[in-house]
Amino acid sequence: MFVLAMRSIRQRPGRFLATLLSAFLGAVIIMTFNSMHDTAGQPGVDPVSAETLSTAAGVVGGYGTLLVFFAIASTLTVNVRQRAAEMELLRCSGATPAQIKRMVVGEAVVVALVGAALAAGPAMLGGRALLDMFRDSGQVARSVDHSFGPVASQSGAGITLLAAAGAAFLAVRRATGGGRRRGRARTVLAYAALVAGAMSVTSTFVFSATDAALMAPPAYGAILLSVGCALMAPRLLAGVLDRLPLGGASGWLAVRNLRERAGQLAGILMSLILFTAVGTATLTMQAVESDAVAASGAVKSVDAKNLETLNFTVVGIIVVFVCVMLVNSLYAATTYREREFGQQRLAGATPGQVLGVVAAEGLVLTVTGVCFGTLAALAGIVPFTVVRTDAVLPGQAFGVWLAVVAVAAAVTLGTGLATARRVLRTPAVRAVASAA
């Protein structure tokens, strides 16, 4: 099956570009931040600098691991679904489900290995740039030099390969069987994340306004709540569609298409919920904290500067990864609808009407993701603001929320419409014939 995987990659390399890009970016981020462990472990590094570097590597490295898995999983899920006919042909030819799983996992591992190898050079440059940022802000001594050692290289390659293998296994397992069992496990995990998030958010009121760890419970609570909502994405989308009063031909078709493809669109909705919740909650709470420190006339400590740097860095990483996941998933999913678009045009729909349906679908997805992501973010923002400033909703929240929503809408609608416009350039008869 490994030989078959290599042959599949050589014959159609284009289908693996999205996975390669996700693996490459994930390995860059993991290696960049884990090189801070190598840097902190050098002889002569003072304790304050070592703590700053190790904290950055530990926190962002953990987020990076989760994001790499989600990014690769979203692209592989679309890839496997689009190859349903190919896999069915392999099964009819005598291949067992276990052999198909090994083939798909082998493809993912090979692609991830290439991505990790390509990521080494950019990660070295990124590590130096990150260290320069810490030195310029006074969080790390000027005498500390960057080191890219075994922790960075081994963790980057190992985590990327494990994420690719695990994501591929889950994707093909769902395609070849076991979907119902996986659905029950997903529901259990979703409720567990919601309960843990609610408990974390509630524990905020145990802290005082001056506690250094005040931001941690609401931030982690918002993240866990968003994860719970993201895991329930198909169910949430179905509930929204049942209550959606969209009229007109485009609106009716959009709702019908979304209802039929709710499971396939779960990855896109998950990305939107996570991006909205984490971006809005983290940036708003950091703005509230910075304004409170400035109003008191105090000077930020090294720990406070570390936290601020980590918050902005984590949000930046999430923005990059969510954009990659959205673009990859939307591009693959929309390109795969070439035959559907061709059939609609042969039935009398104009290209403008097809684009109207795609725009309506993107709008529904964006609004749904933003709404549930906002609820998760507010669950963390409100308790933090109450304890820190005695207010309920900070004035900074609206501006941050608008910026987050603007990015989410631009990526979702822009990618969907641009890809659909490109697909529509193919004549309708050729699109139906070639995809048949």
Side-chain angles (χ1 to χ4, degrees):
M1 282 296 145
F2 181 78
V3 175
L4 189 58
M6 292 296 298
R7 183 183 302 170
S8 177
I9 294 174
R10 285 197 298 267
Q11 289 177 346
R12 299 189 64 182
R15 66 163 55 144
F16 300 101
L17 288 179
T19 305
L20 178 62
L21 179 60
S22 298
F24 169 76
L25 290 175
V28 168
I29 292 173
I30 292 172
M31 290 182 184
T32 294
F33 282 91
N34 278 318
S35 69
M36 298 299 101
H37 279 309
D38 293 312
T39 303
Q42 295 181 103
V45 178
D46 62 279
V48 175
S49 298
E51 182 180 359
T52 299
L53 296 170
S54 298
T55 302
V59 174
V60 182
Y63 276 108
T65 301
L66 292 175
L67 291 171
V68 169
F69 182 83
F70 276 119
I72 296 178
S74 66
T75 56
L76 282 173
T77 299
V78 175
N79 182 293
V80 170
R81 279 180 175 149
Q82 292 179 353
R83 299 168 63 187
E86 174 189 338
M87 292 182 181
E88 184 62 27
L89 180 61
L90 288 173
R91 293 181 66 179
C92 292
S93 301
T96 65
Q99 290 174 322
I100 295 175
K101 288 177 185 177
R102 287 197 295 269
M103 180 192 72
V104 176
V105 172
E107 293 170 353
V109 168
V110 170
V111 172
L113 187 60
V114 174
L118 294 174
M124 291 180 186
L125 298 176
R128 291 192 181 97
L130 182 62
L131 180 60
D132 288 340
M133 182 181 68
F134 282 127
R135 289 191 296 205
D136 292 341
S137 64
Q139 297 166 259
V140 174
R142 287 282 180 185
S143 59
V144 177
D145 294 324
H146 180 254
S147 174
F148 189 90
V151 176
S153 58
Q154 293 176 13
S155 63
I159 290 173
T160 305
L161 292 176
L162 286 175
F169 179 81
L170 292 177
V172 74
R173 181 173 180 269
R174 184 175 182 181
T176 57
R180 183 175 302 176
R181 189 185 309 167
R182 184 176 182 269
R184 288 197 296 267
R186 185 171 184 164
T187 301
V188 171
L189 288 175
Y191 283 118
L194 291 174
V195 171
M199 294 175 62
S200 182
V201 166
T202 305
S203 67
T204 306
F205 296 101
V206 177
F207 293 83
S208 66
T210 56
D211 282 334
L214 173 62
M215 196 182 298
Y220 284 118
I223 292 172
L224 288 170
L225 290 173
S226 67
V227 169
C229 291
L231 290 172
M232 298 178 68
R235 190 177 302 178
L236 295 177
L237 181 58
V240 170
L241 293 175
D242 290 339
R243 298 166 178 80
L244 202 60
L246 276 183
S250 296
W252 183 85
L253 277 175
V255 172
R256 175 179 172 275
N257 291 339
L258 288 171
R259 186 174 284 114
E260 291 181 352
R261 298 165 56 234
Q264 301 176 19
L265 297 172
I268 298 171
L269 192 56
M270 287 174 65
S271 301
L272 286 168
I273 293 173
L274 290 170
F275 171 61
T276 304
V278 177
T280 303
T282 306
L283 292 178
T284 300
M285 285 189 281
Q286 183 57 60
V288 171
E289 176 65 23
S290 298
D291 290 348
V293 172
S296 66
V299 178
K300 287 185 179 180
S301 63
V302 173
D303 289 338
K305 289 182 179 179
N306 288 345
L307 181 60
E308 183 176 7
T309 301
L310 288 175
N311 283 336
F312 288 129
T313 304
V314 168
V315 172
I317 291 173
I318 290 173
V319 168
V320 172
F321 257 85
V322 167
C323 287
V324 170
M325 285 192 287
L326 283 175
V327 170
N328 285 346
S329 300
L330 282 168
Y331 179 82
T334 307
T335 303
Y336 187 62
R337 300 173 68 185
E338 183 179 51
R339 184 183 185 188
E340 175 191 337
F341 292 163
Q343 290 174 333
Q344 291 175 0
R345 292 160 65 192
L346 291 176
T350 65
Q353 289 173 324
V354 176
L355 288 175
V357 173
V358 174
E361 293 172 1
L363 184 61
V364 172
L365 283 175
T366 302
V367 172
T368 303
V370 166
C371 285
F372 287 104
T374 301
L375 291 176
L378 288 175
I381 291 171
V382 171
F384 175 79
T385 308
V386 169
V387 175
R388 189 70 177 91
T389 65
D390 293 330
V392 176
L393 191 64
Q396 302 92 330
F398 186 66
V400 172
W401 181 81
L402 281 180
V404 170
V405 171
V407 173
V411 173
T412 306
L413 295 175
T415 303
L417 289 174
T419 307
R421 188 182 298 275
R422 173 182 170 277
V423 172
L424 289 172
R425 293 176 184 171
T426 304
V429 175
R430 187 192 303 170
V432 173
S434 62

